[in-house]
Amino acid sequence: MSDKDIYQSHGINEDEKKLLLESLGREPTVTEIGIFSVMWSEHCSYKSSRYWLKELHTTGKQVIQGPGENAGVIDIGDNQAIIFKMESHNHPSFIEPYQGAATGVGGIMRDVFTMGARPIALLNSLRFGEINHPKTKYLLSGVVSGIGGYGNCVGIPTISGETGFDSSYNGNNLVNAMCVGLTTHDKIFYSKASGIGNPVVYVGARTGRDGIHGATMASGEFDDESEKNRPTVQVGDPYAEKLLLEACLELMQEDAIVSIQDMGAAGLTSSSVEMADKGQVGIELNLDRIPTRQKNMTAYEMMLSESQERMLMVLRPEKTQIAKEVFLKWGVDFEIVGKITNTNNLVVKHNNRVEANIPITYLTDSAPIYKRDISPRKKKSKPSASMKHDINIKDATLKLLNSPNICSKKWIWEQYDRSIMANTLNPAGDDAGIVRIEGTKKAIAISSDVNPRYCTAEAKKGAIQAVAECWRNIISMGAEPLAITNCLNFGNPEKPEIMYDFVKTIQGITQASKELNFPVVSGNVSLYNETNGMAINNTPTIGGVGLINDITFLEKFGYAMDNDQVYLIGNKGENLNCSTFEEIILGTITVDPPDVDLQIEKMNGIAIKKLINNQILSSCHDISDGGLMISLCELLIKSNIGANIKITNNSKILEQLFAEEQSRYIISVPSNKQDKMFEILDNASIQYQSLGNITGNQLKVNDKIVISLSELIEAFENLIPELMAS
């Protein structure tokens, strides 16, 4: 391989090659080229996004640790802390869906328990191509099996999530995995290495040749040959992860760990470099001591392998034997593989040779940062949806319920164990999942949200909406929203229109998280989600966590009850722009998603939370995709009951039923609690209107449109089971 080819094959362009050679002042070894390639990859260095990520709102009195660590940390009172993060495993999951998704779950769990938290909940956000695309069924089946197989075996409940379908994902499905863990303030562990001479210890599974160049592969576009990249996809073992988890958490009860880092993307390279960089120290590794699965592995292979279920630790020397005994007890490999030095260099030795000797700053602070060109994309000028007043509302409702992005995802979540650990407090399919904090009356509510249709039509507005909807879903369960993580999935950042949308997305997230006191504490960027030049829709997934201080109200909350009165909180529907109704029923998409007034969002949410916490409401459901009509149908299906609804303005009935205006909720309240509800809403100047009442076993609208509950259920639940059975 020529000199030029070796750099190109490692994803290092001519300018980066020049910087590398100037930094080192000599020709690098092959191992050093590999180390530079992964540390300077988009996946590890954030070279296209780092400049803009600094704008995010990341502070608040609830924040203990913001972005920059393995995961974010927030205070939930009583000396307890929640640690959480979301990450992508998109490229691997397209190439090898089962292992790609499984190792995504394993990796995000390690990000959380490496900081001292026991994982208590998993979530995911998935995107696939058109539901009838030839690969969708295969990818959906593999990804769901991988998520379920890994999380179920480790014993962590997968409590919530979302799944969407669109042609833009035909060549790039998205797998965003989120993990939430619980710890105490005095047992939070960080990755900053310190203590010259302290031992560097490798624990966990043995290193193999799987996953080599995974970070580099995840930093490039796909083409028709990309499926040949299967060797770069890691292979997971959930039982090894469980043993590693328990061993780490046991050792964390001792005063033994100086710093700890999981081996994720770029494996031993990134974990050692990041620990040393944060501590402003050097690190020396002796690869002869690395436990390996295969014989004769080279230094290059060991440094770049992304084998799963592995950790790197810096220990207090006097505690090394205690640590070794803990890991041997759990049957987990434990080896001293290096030491902390005062050189500020990464030194890698193998077979009595120095294979790498690189100043760490060249791999971190001096890595390339690109402030790429930005320019708005040319908007397709499409007129607002023309109203067809001959539309049959019953048929439209059933068609929407049976459409891929609204239909029940029961087939998916039935493959996840939600009840393991016995702390999940609500059924699947709610606005947010709820997990009890053992030994307390507290619980946390968790949701993941994004509307790629909005985010692609107008990036900033779509990002604001994603944060607001996540906030709204947490409010709908009676929780106080605390903080968010994110997974920013975009196409090629070298295209000015993609980078423009990325910048606008950061601005939108920042504006919404400031207004709603919903700071960003962790996150991930996934770029180059393109195949043959076709980018995915902008998909900035938001994962949020909220706190319930007293779960007592949950005993009588969540289901619409017979004779309840039904109310709409928020304004009436005004237009169908960018709505699911417009896309599915009218067959068009306008490029103007609904506005979000964040002040109204906040006012409405605070009032709703007060109504729920004061045990006034029987049920609450936020209004999003499909508008009022679909949210009402979902509530009735969950509650297994009917309703009689009145829409007063018949000339705007389609807008009132199907528009997707923001900051809105549908609630049901017992008749004897209405006066208390009116008092709270009126005192807060909240807009609301009566819609009707809960009754019977069919949905009636203005006594003319009648849809039986069985028709609603059949339309809602059948699409994905029929696809997977075909």
Side-chain angles (χ1 to χ4, degrees), residues 1-14 17 33:
M1 185 181 286
S2 71
D3 174 66
K4 184 176 181 181
D5 286 343
I6 195 168
Y7 286 99
Q8 281 186 344
S9 68
H10 282 79
I12 297 171
N13 64 34
E14 282 299 312
K17 175 187 170 184
I33 291 175

Side-chain angles (χ1 to χ4, degrees), residues 688-704:
Y688 64 93
Q689 62 173 308
S690 172
L691 291 175
N693 65 306
I694 299 295
T695 185
N697 60 2
Q698 55 191 13
L699 171 59
K700 285 185 184 178
V701 180
N702 292 352
D703 292 323
K704 294 178 181 176

Side-chain angles (χ1 to χ4, degrees), residues 367-379:
I369 296 180
Y370 296 119
K371 188 181 178 187
R372 298 195 183 276
D373 292 340
I374 62 173
S375 65
R377 67 175 74 208
K378 290 177 183 172
K379 295 217 172 183

Side-chain angles (χ1 to χ4, degrees), residues 219-264:
S219 303
E221 290 184 37
F222 278 167
D223 56 29
D224 293 329
E225 301 294 307
S226 292
E227 290 185 58
K228 294 179 181 176
N229 283 331
R230 277 197 171 82
T232 63
V233 177
Q234 312 94 320
V235 177
D237 179 349
Y239 300 107
E241 179 105 343
K242 174 65 171 172
L243 295 171
L244 179 63
L245 162 68
E246 296 300 341
C248 286
L249 291 179
E250 181 173 328
L251 183 60
M252 285 166 172
Q253 300 310 306
E254 306 282 346
D255 186 24
I257 299 171
V258 175
S259 67
I260 180 169
Q261 174 80 36
D262 85 292
M263 293 192 217

Side-chain angles (χ1 to χ4, degrees), residues 156-329:
I156 311 300
T158 301
I159 65 161
S160 189
E162 54 162 8
T163 304
F165 301 85
D166 185 85
S167 61
S168 75
Y169 308 104
N170 282 348
N172 285 85
N173 60 313
L174 302 185
V175 175
N176 295 173
M178 180 174 168
C179 181
V180 179
L182 174 69
T183 189
T184 53
H185 289 205
D186 56 323
K187 291 296 180 185
I188 300 169
F189 291 80
Y190 298 96
S191 56
K192 177 181 175 181
S194 63
I196 306 306
N198 277 348
V200 176
V201 175
Y202 171 118
V203 297
R206 291 171 174 256
T207 295
R209 291 189 172 99
D210 53 319
I212 292 172
H213 274 304
T216 311
M217 179 268 293
S219 303
E221 290 184 37
F222 278 167
D223 56 29
D224 293 329
E225 301 294 307
S226 292
E227 290 185 58
K228 294 179 181 176
N229 283 331
R230 277 197 171 82
T232 63
V233 177
Q234 312 94 320
V235 177
D237 179 349
Y239 300 107
E241 179 105 343
K242 174 65 171 172
L243 295 171
L244 179 63
L245 162 68
E246 296 300 341
C248 286
L249 291 179
E250 181 173 328
L251 183 60
M252 285 166 172
Q253 300 310 306
E254 306 282 346
D255 186 24
I257 299 171
V258 175
S259 67
I260 180 169
Q261 174 80 36
D262 85 292
M263 293 192 217
L268 188 56
T269 292
S270 63
S271 56
S272 56
V273 168
E274 288 169 12
M275 290 171 83
D277 178 57
K278 285 174 184 168
Q280 295 295 291
V281 294
I283 190 165
E284 183 178 300
L285 299 174
N286 178 3
L287 301 189
D288 297 342
R289 300 191 62 93
I290 298 291
T292 59
R293 289 205 305 269
Q294 284 122 356
K295 291 182 179 179
N296 302 318
M297 286 187 70
T298 65
Y300 177 96
E301 290 171 328
M302 284 187 270
M303 290 303 291
L304 269 61
S305 168
E306 294 186 8
S307 294
Q308 297 292 286
E309 295 89 37
R310 303 179 301 159
M311 300 283 226
L312 204 61
M313 295 180 176
V314 178
L315 295 179
R316 302 187 192 284
E318 70 276 13
K319 299 282 188 174
T320 306
Q321 186 58 34
I322 291 173
K324 185 174 183 178
E325 288 168 3
V326 168
F327 282 92
L328 289 179
K329 183 183 94 171

Side-chain angles (χ1 to χ4, degrees), residues 639-668:
S639 304
N640 196 34
I641 201 166
N644 197 345
I645 300 301
K646 303 283 188 208
I647 299 296
T648 52
N649 184 355
N650 274 311
S651 67
K652 283 272 193 179
I653 191 167
L654 290 176
E655 289 89 343
Q656 289 192 46
L657 289 178
F658 299 110
E660 295 176 8
E661 259 87 4
Q662 300 295 293
S663 317
R664 303 193 301 160
Y665 304 81
I666 190 164
I667 60 173
S668 75

Side-chain angles (χ1 to χ4, degrees), residues 489-510:
N489 308 274
F490 286 81
N492 184 343
E494 296 165 48
K495 295 180 178 177
E497 67 274 15
I498 299 283
M499 204 61 217
Y500 176 88
D501 282 358
F502 182 87
V503 172
K504 289 296 176 184
T505 296
I506 295 292
Q507 292 172 359
I509 292 172
T510 301

Side-chain angles (χ1 to χ4, degrees), residues 385-444:
S386 59
M387 281 302 91
K388 299 176 181 176
H389 288 288
D390 58 346
I391 285 173
N392 183 300
I393 290 175
K394 175 178 177 178
D395 290 347
T397 300
L398 296 176
K399 188 173 182 180
L400 286 170
L401 286 171
N402 195 242
S403 64
N405 291 323
I406 287 178
C407 74
S408 168
K409 306 306 185 295
K410 186 177 181 180
W411 182 91
I412 295 171
W413 47 253
E414 279 189 334
Q415 297 185 52
Y416 306 148
D417 192 333
R418 297 186 80 254
S419 57
I420 199 164
M421 298 176 81
N423 287 320
T424 307
L425 295 181
N426 65 325
D430 275 2
D431 291 340
I434 305 178
V435 178
R436 174 176 49 206
I437 304 298
E438 278 190 40
T440 74
K441 287 190 172 184
K442 296 187 295 190
I444 55 167

